[in-house]
Amino acid sequence: SLPISYNVYPGSIVDVTTLKNGIKYLKMFDLKDILFVLDRGFFSKANVLEMNSSSSNVSFVQPLPFSLKNVKLLIKRHKRILSDPSSAFKFNEEILHYQQSPFEFDGNNFEAHIFFNEKSEVDQKHHFLSPLFECEEKFKGKTFKTLKEYLQCRKSIIPEKYSEYFKWNKTTLQVEKNGKNVKAFLNKMGSFVLITNKQKMDKVEILNLYRQKDQVEKIFDIFKNEMDGDRLRVHSQYNSDGRLFIKFISLILYSEVARTMKEKKLFDTYTLKELFAELKKLKITQIQQHEPFLSEVSKKQRVIFDAFGIQEEALHSY
């Protein structure tokens, strides 16, 4: 769970274009067993084919976007079994439904792992329908003589992401919900599809891998926020590179401390900041040529030392 490398990209580079070089970087580190766990932002036909090629020799777990026709058909085909209790299982504290199915993409065969969360479906429906009804109220009692007149009004009062869920009825001259689009959007709620080229992965393994990518996002959030890395506030490339390097080394240390704390259950007692604050009280004193010595160690600090395997007498050995 440690970061091993970082790279700097111009802000205009989209995620999907960085994967090919990402594979090259990892191979330069001589890593033998590479598995990419991606989010939808990395999906493209070129990326899937690149990772699946024999020359890349990498495994991957990739969620599929619902914009793909094959994905919509896959969900529709398994909708009934995904609502049946026989497909349900418990993952941590969640109840999920699961179905596995072959999936063909551009002449390549993969295993599709389909998951459905009923609770998530209800929450997503509420989150979607509530603003939709509010938008509908804005059109109540209004008539539009032409389509152009309706489109101009829609642009000014309806958020763009909801525009496709309304249509103008040229017979009644009123606005109504676009039932076909609304239904299509509701049908995919609570569902997600993962494909992989790694053989013999079960539902728990692939779901664990996919959920663990959240650790990477959290580490990046720590880098930006807790380590004040959101703005570098520098005036030269030299200073920028230096600050990023120091922050990256700090991030490795932060990650290792967090891993040990989790393993030794120290998070039951401290946050990571509180642990550092407790250790910050310690001082090493050296006067002239006399032997350096450590300030008094409290019971709390000894517990932390034991968890990390630190010997008091070794603290000033450097």
Side-chain angles (χ1 to χ4, degrees), residues 9-30:
Y9 296 96
S12 57
I13 302 296
V14 294
D15 289 348
V16 72
T17 63
T18 63
L19 187 129
K20 195 169 184 177
N21 281 344
I23 294 174
K24 292 177 181 175
Y25 278 120
L26 293 176
K27 288 189 172 180
M28 287 177 190
F29 301 144
D30 203 27

Side-chain angles (χ1 to χ4, degrees), residues 47-76:
N47 277 354
V48 171
L49 298 182
E50 172 73 26
M51 290 185 292
N52 197 48
S53 67
S54 55
S55 58
S56 290
N57 194 31
V58 300
S59 303
F60 68 90
V61 173
Q62 170 73 65
L64 296 177
F66 289 102
S67 56
L68 289 178
K69 186 179 178 180
N70 284 0
V71 176
K72 293 176 184 175
L73 292 173
L74 196 66
I75 296 289
K76 188 176 180 180

Side-chain angles (χ1 to χ4, degrees), residues 143-150 168-170 173-174:
T143 57
F144 302 93
K145 294 179 181 179
T146 63
L147 176 62
K148 184 178 179 181
E149 187 182 334
Y150 155 66
W168 176 66
N169 189 319
K170 64 180 180 181
L173 303 181
Q174 292 183 328

Side-chain angles (χ1 to χ4, degrees), residues 82-197:
L82 287 171
S83 301
D84 193 282
S86 64
S87 66
F89 72 104
K90 190 172 183 180
F91 180 81
N92 295 334
E93 296 303 313
E94 291 181 89
I95 302 298
L96 298 169
H97 293 260
Y98 170 78
Q99 191 66 24
Q100 190 171 343
S101 174
F103 184 80
E104 192 270 334
F105 181 72
D106 200 60
N108 291 263
N109 295 314
F110 302 98
E111 282 299 316
H113 299 260
I114 313 160
F115 295 90
F116 173 64
N117 186 326
E118 290 178 286
K119 184 177 181 298
S120 178
E121 181 191 36
V122 172
D123 292 342
Q124 288 175 22
K125 277 185 178 180
H126 179 80
H127 185 72
F128 170 71
L129 290 174
S130 184
L132 190 74
F133 293 143
E134 289 175 13
C135 293
E136 190 177 29
E137 280 294 313
K138 295 177 182 179
F139 288 117
K140 199 170 183 178
K142 292 184 180 181
T143 57
F144 302 93
K145 294 179 181 179
T146 63
L147 176 62
K148 184 178 179 181
E149 187 182 334
Y150 155 66
L151 292 175
Q152 286 176 339
C153 179
R154 188 185 73 178
K155 189 175 181 180
S156 63
I157 65 173
I158 301 298
E160 188 178 346
K161 65 179 180 178
Y162 285 100
S163 61
E164 64 181 296
Y165 304 113
F166 293 96
K167 64 180 181 179
W168 176 66
N169 189 319
K170 64 180 180 181
T171 305
T172 63
L173 303 181
Q174 292 183 328
V175 177
E176 56 192 43
K177 288 196 291 292
N178 188 325
K180 183 181 177 182
N181 287 357
V182 170
K183 187 178 180 181
F185 190 75
L186 291 176
N187 279 341
K188 67 185 182 183
M189 287 186 168
S191 302
F192 60 98
V193 180
L194 306 174
I195 62 167
T196 180
N197 61 348

